[in-house]
């Protein structure tokens, strides 16, 4: 088939580290089908200029368009603005592409705009939902009816967690058209490694217990909760360290607050790192912590387990579905006291790496893409077939 994937969740020169999970999945899917990826680039990012180079693709083809929209006000019009931006800039590609299927990855405005495009082109479409597109945006009165209509009009809705699948059904999607499909992990890259060698490569202390956070530095990801909980860890293990790998608006706040707490010498802000370097950080760490306030199923949790690393995370979204007791500890969101206690407990526990790896083996990109292929092929069949 010829498939056009439409999404903001994909690496570009304006955000080279964005959504590596979609890059991995779509590039593998392109081994089965001709796949073009059309990426929406926020006009503010476009005006700021490129920040690097997008990772190379082996099979898929990627291009982009500028998403122009009214900021602050008119958010209920973003689906229409997304569609108008795409059509005005990529009219010939859409007309001449001879696509069999559209695949939208993110509910708003991407899926809403894709639904309009599908009607214009007379094509079936599939929507993939990820987390806050349903957990947050679908609760906004101006967005909810549009998201619900876009999902109901799709031939299939692919949810990365069972919790999200339930939200899609609650929006009126027929249960038979909702598919649960957990993301996968690149097992060649994310695997156990020698901790001493990894720490030498990263110039880290060879012996200090290391708690690792990987992700965007923003409040909804719980990075500030993690910092506030860390003094409780230091009370039990004074030589412990906390490393934040990522970038975002909360970076300055984290640095300032670490100084105020008197723990700046135990906290490292390592900045954003390419996806291929994350495995080395996980191999160097004692545990990963992701205390998000809402989630789908974050790939960083799956990748950490594939490295044999235990995880302390919040019981939100699909995280409880993929993080069993033998692989980590769950705590309530926003509960910094519980988080600090869990971190201390996790650092002191003798985890079975073999048990963690056995569980993590269930999340593989090969299996994921084969299932996605079947969903898309079924969705593209004529309805009277």
């Amino acid at each position: 088939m010829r498939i056009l994937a439409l999404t903001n969740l994909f690496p570009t020169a304006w955000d080279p580290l964005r959504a590596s999970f979609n890059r991995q999945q779509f590039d593998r899917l392109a081994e089965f089908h001709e796949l073009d990826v059309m990426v929406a680039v926020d006009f503010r990012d476009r005006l700021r200029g490129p920040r690097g180079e997008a990772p190379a693709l082996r099979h898929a083809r990627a291009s982009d368009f500028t998403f122009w929209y009214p900021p602050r006000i008119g958010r209920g019009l973003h689906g229409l603005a997304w569609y108008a931006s795409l059509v005005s800039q990529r009219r010939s590609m859409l007309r001449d592409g001879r696509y069999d299927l559209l695949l939208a990855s993110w509910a708003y405005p991407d899926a809403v705009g894709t639904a309009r495009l599908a009607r214009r082109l007379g094509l079936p479409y599939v929507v993939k939902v990820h987390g806050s597109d349903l957990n947050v945006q679908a609760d906004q009165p101006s967005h909810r009816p549009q998201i619900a209509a876009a999902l109901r009009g799709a031939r299939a809705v692919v949810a990365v967690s069972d919790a999200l699948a339930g939200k899609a059904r609650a929006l009126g999607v027929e249960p038979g058209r909702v598919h649960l499909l957990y993301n996968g992990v690149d097992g060649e890259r994310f695997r156990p490694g020698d901790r001493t060698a990894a720490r030498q490569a990263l110039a880290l202390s060879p012996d200090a217990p290391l708690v690792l956070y990987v992700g965007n530095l923003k409040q909804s990801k719980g990075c500030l909760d993690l910092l506030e909980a860390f003094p409780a860890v230091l009370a039990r293990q004074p030589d412990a360290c906390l490393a934040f790998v990522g970038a975002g608006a909360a970076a300055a706040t984290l640095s300032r607050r670490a100084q105020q707490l008197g723990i700046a010498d135990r906290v490292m802000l390592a900045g954003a790192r390419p996806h291929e370097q994350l495995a080395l950080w996980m191999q160097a760490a004692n545990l990963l912590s992701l205390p998000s306030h809402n989630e789908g199923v974050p790939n960083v949790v799956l990748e950490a387990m594939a490295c044999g690393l235990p995880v302390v995370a919040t019981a939100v979204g699909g995280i409880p579905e993929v993080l069993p007791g033998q692989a980590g500890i769950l705590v309530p969101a926003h509960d910094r006291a519980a988080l600090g206690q869990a971190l201390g407990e996790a650092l002191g526990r003798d985890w079975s790496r073999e048990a963690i790896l056995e569980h993590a083996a269930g999340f593989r990109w090969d299996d994921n893409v084969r299932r996605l292929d079947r969903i898309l092929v079924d969705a593209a069949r004529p309805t009277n077939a």
Side-chain angles (χ1 to χ4, degrees):
M1 294 191 301
R2 285 185 57 81
I3 300 172
L4 177 60
L6 300 137
T7 185
N8 74 89
L9 293 178
F10 206 81
T12 65
W14 293 268
D15 195 350
L17 304 183
R18 186 168 179 78
S20 64
F21 51 86
N22 264 352
R23 174 181 57 81
Q24 295 176 80
Q25 185 188 55
F26 290 174
D27 209 18
R28 286 170 171 83
L29 182 64
E31 297 184 59
F32 296 83
H33 306 283
E34 292 186 56
L35 178 66
D36 292 327
V37 185
M38 181 62 68
V39 188
V41 176
D42 189 297
F43 77 92
R44 297 169 299 180
D45 292 332
R46 180 82 70 175
L47 294 173
R48 281 191 286 263
R51 292 160 50 189
E53 293 185 5
L57 300 172
R58 293 178 300 167
H59 307 286
R61 299 178 296 265
S63 56
D64 58 75
F65 70 98
T66 303
F67 173 33
W68 296 95
Y69 60 91
R72 294 190 180 92
I73 62 171
R75 291 181 179 176
L77 299 174
H78 284 190
L80 177 60
W82 189 99
Y83 167 78
S85 297
L86 171 62
V87 171
S88 64
Q89 296 170 51
R90 293 291 180 263
R91 187 183 306 273
S92 60
M93 177 182 176
L94 298 172
R95 182 188 62 236
D96 302 333
R98 297 183 178 275
Y99 295 108
D100 300 294
L101 181 75
L102 305 180
L103 170 61
S105 184
W106 195 249
Y108 190 85
D110 309 46
V112 172
T114 297
R116 285 180 174 270
L117 180 64
R119 290 193 295 270
R120 175 180 179 137
L121 299 178
L123 292 175
Y125 68 97
V126 171
V127 177
K128 189 154 73 97
V129 293
H130 294 271
S132 58
D133 51 348
L134 294 194
N135 291 330
V136 177
Q137 296 201 47
D139 287 338
Q140 298 183 26
S142 63
H143 297 177
R144 187 176 182 86
Q146 297 182 66
I147 293 173
L151 297 189
R152 289 197 299 266
R155 291 280 182 89
V157 175
V158 178
V160 301
S161 74
D162 191 49
L164 285 173
K167 294 204 169 190
R169 292 190 292 267
L171 287 168
V173 184
E174 295 175 7
R177 291 192 288 115
V178 179
H179 303 268
L180 168 61
L181 185 61
Y182 295 118
N183 277 340
V185 174
D186 182 352
E188 294 297 316
R189 177 169 292 158
F190 291 90
R191 62 181 188 271
D194 182 83
R195 181 174 293 163
T196 299
R199 292 193 177 196
Q200 287 177 344
L202 296 170
L204 298 174
S205 166
D207 302 315
L210 177 61
V211 177
L212 177 65
Y213 171 98
V214 177
N216 292 326
L217 300 184
K218 58 182 182 179
Q219 186 170 355
S220 63
K221 287 291 185 180
C223 57
L224 296 173
D225 296 334
L226 178 57
L227 181 70
E228 296 288 347
F230 197 62
V233 177
L234 293 174
R236 299 170 63 173
Q237 299 198 48
D239 58 340
C241 293
L242 172 60
F244 290 95
V245 175
T253 302
L254 287 168
S255 178
R256 183 173 60 254
R257 185 59 181 149
Q259 292 283 351
Q260 293 171 347
L261 291 170
I263 60 173
D265 60 331
R266 311 311 304 167
V267 176
M268 175 188 301
L269 295 176
R273 300 298 176 99
H275 186 251
E276 59 268 20
Q277 293 183 15
L278 298 184
L280 191 63
W281 282 90
M282 293 176 182
Q283 291 163 358
N286 294 84
L287 66 89
L288 177 107
S289 183
L290 187 68
S292 298
H293 300 166
N294 61 78
E295 278 290 354
V297 171
N299 249 53
V300 65
V301 170
L302 306 182
E303 291 165 346
M305 293 189 296
C307 293
L309 197 64
V311 177
V312 173
T314 41
V316 298
I319 295 178
E321 302 169 31
V322 300
L323 185 62
Q326 73 266 27
I329 301 174
L330 292 167
V331 298
H334 307 280
D335 192 334
R336 295 172 176 178
L339 178 59
Q341 181 177 349
L343 292 170
E345 179 185 342
L347 286 174
R349 184 184 297 185
D350 185 16
W351 296 92
S352 169
R353 175 180 280 191
E354 291 73 20
I356 296 174
L357 293 174
E358 182 180 2
H359 171 68
F363 304 97
R364 302 191 306 173
W365 278 124
D366 288 347
D367 297 336
N368 171 284
V369 172
R370 278 194 292 267
R371 287 196 56 211
L372 180 59
D373 169 61
R374 291 196 295 269
I375 293 168
L376 298 180
V377 169
D378 288 344
R381 289 195 178 102
T383 54
N384 57 356

